[in-house]
Amino acid sequence: MRVHHLASAKKDGTKLVMLTAYDAVTARILDAAGTDLLLVGDSIGNVMLGHDSTLPVELDEMVVATRSVARATKRALVVADLPFGTYEAGPEQALASAVRLMKAGANAVKLEGGTPRAASVRALAQAGIPVVGHLGFTPQSVNMLGGFRVQGRGEAADVLMADAQALAEAGAVALVLEMVPEPLAARVTESLTIPTVGIGAGARCDGQVLVWTDMAGMTDWSPRFAHQFGQVGEALRQATTGPRCARSPSPRRSTGSAPDSDKTHSTMAGALNHRLEGRSREPDASFYAYDHDFFGFPCVLGLTGRPRAAWHADSRDAQS
Ligand code: KIV
């Protein structure tokens, strides 16, 4: 997926699929599944770093996440968010920050705001950096907007229309519309040649974006508009505490003399406790294979495609 495919998708009427990703393991799965755009969103602040807004996110944190996602992505266009405080001062600051994200492997950057950002969008475009705009509810301005609420109602609709035009004219390659009424999102979409990607903006945008953990059922709370397509959180809980994690010695594990007690615990938590309590210290093949399985947690969950043979090799290394 390249930047010119965005405009052609709009022309063809092909809907774009954008999901957030913050690390390599997730990016690999979402990319292989055919996601068009992977957004290294500053929602990493809420989703992964435990903040209650995106405001504390640092550019250095975005650089690490962007590198991880870019390394694991083969097809999707990687878009990285410019975090709060790294571009508002003007084109020069925006360019310096965007260059860091591009060097980390992004194919485009995203920034929030309308007409006041047009000069920065133009400067980045002229420097060869594709920019995705973001209008409507812009989380970095949550304090100014008075909370998590729909934007663009009443007279504010015309302001949003003008902002969309200004960003497009400045050279933005796509526009995220967050929490705006569907008729307004449709008006913006029809008025632009660049695609709109909606989140809580109805079905008439050129594409949709979701925070992947909302989509996958990973969190206790998610916005009303975020459709859940899976229950990964529950799968994780079960893998950690339930029978899916039951351990019976496999031929691989029985290459050493597995202590009998190793066969008794049926959960990952049990396995860890067992080890911490010092009941299984013998450096036999069974122990290390088991240990590697524990720390190869994503593999146990079926999240990675790492060949089993590699784990064998690791466990041999661990013994030497
Ligand atoms: O950071 C993010 O996840 C976003 C999406 C909500 C569009 O900006």
Side-chain angles (χ1 to χ4, degrees):
M1 189 85 190
R2 294 287 172 263
V3 95
H4 60 273
H5 294 128
L6 298 175
S8 48
K10 175 151 185 146
K11 234 184 246 161
D12 303 345
T14 307
K15 294 283 187 190
L16 293 164
V17 175
M18 184 187 214
L19 288 170
T20 63
Y22 314 102
D23 56 48
V25 65
T26 318
R28 195 168 288 118
I29 292 170
L30 302 179
D31 181 56
T35 310
D36 299 310
L37 299 109
L38 287 178
L39 172 63
V40 188
D42 60 352
S43 51
I44 191 172
N46 315 56
V47 174
M48 296 288 156
L49 304 179
H51 299 302
D52 59 5
S53 80
T54 60
L55 301 189
V57 175
E58 301 289 349
L59 187 57
D60 285 347
E61 292 168 327
M62 292 301 298
V63 165
V64 171
T66 302
R67 271 200 204 115
S68 315
V69 169
R71 282 189 198 120
T73 301
K74 291 199 173 98
R75 175 187 170 273
L77 195 82
V78 175
V79 181
D81 262 337
L82 283 165
F84 178 65
T86 67
Y87 61 97
E88 299 86 338
E92 211 172 306
Q93 189 197 24
L95 184 58
S97 303
V99 163
R100 290 202 58 208
L101 295 176
M102 298 300 282
K103 282 184 185 289
N107 305 120
V109 300
K110 178 165 81 58
L111 52 75
E112 298 183 4
T115 309
R117 304 282 172 256
S120 294
V121 172
R122 188 165 290 110
L124 296 191
Q126 282 170 357
I129 302 176
V131 182
V132 175
H134 186 156
L135 293 176
F137 178 72
T138 45
Q140 293 173 14
S141 307
V142 63
N143 291 301
M144 199 68 172
L145 299 175
F148 187 75
R149 42 207 296 208
V150 174
Q151 302 295 311
R153 289 207 166 110
E155 285 171 13
D158 289 339
V159 177
L160 196 144
M161 280 295 294
D163 282 341
Q165 291 294 344
L167 293 175
E169 276 163 24
V173 296
L175 190 58
V176 167
L177 293 176
E178 181 164 358
M179 290 177 72
V180 303
E182 178 161 359
L184 174 59
R187 243 177 92 200
V188 174
T189 301
E190 282 157 23
S191 74
L192 299 179
T193 54
I194 59 169
T196 58
V197 185
I199 174 162
R204 289 148 77 191
C205 292
D206 298 307
Q208 296 290 328
V209 52
L210 283 175
V211 170
W212 88 261
T213 46
D214 290 341
M215 179 275 288
M218 295 277 286
T219 50
D220 293 337
W221 178 91
S222 63
R224 210 159 34 93
F225 54 75
H227 185 82
Q228 280 187 2
F229 292 90
Q231 291 300 327
V232 179
E234 184 51 31
L236 230 149
R237 256 187 298 278
Q238 288 197 18
T240 311
T241 60
R244 279 187 198 206
C245 198
R247 299 274 178 203
S248 57
S250 66
R252 178 165 66 95
R253 281 191 200 96
S254 61
T255 52
S257 53
D260 276 352
S261 53
D262 250 12
K263 300 167 193 166
T264 59
H265 40 77
S266 64
T267 69
M268 245 189 242
L272 184 61
N273 283 336
H274 179 73
R275 186 182 167 197
L276 294 177
E277 284 164 16
R279 276 188 262 137
S280 179
R281 290 187 190 281
E282 289 166 40
D284 62 288
S286 161
F287 177 82
Y288 282 108
Y290 198 103
D291 217 25
H292 275 256
D293 251 3
F294 186 83
F295 292 107
F297 182 50
C299 197
V300 174
L301 288 170
L303 291 173
T304 61
R306 194 169 175 197
R308 281 311 203 173
W311 297 104
H312 282 287
D314 283 355
S315 60
R316 274 198 299 276
D317 290 349
Q319 292 171 77
S320 58

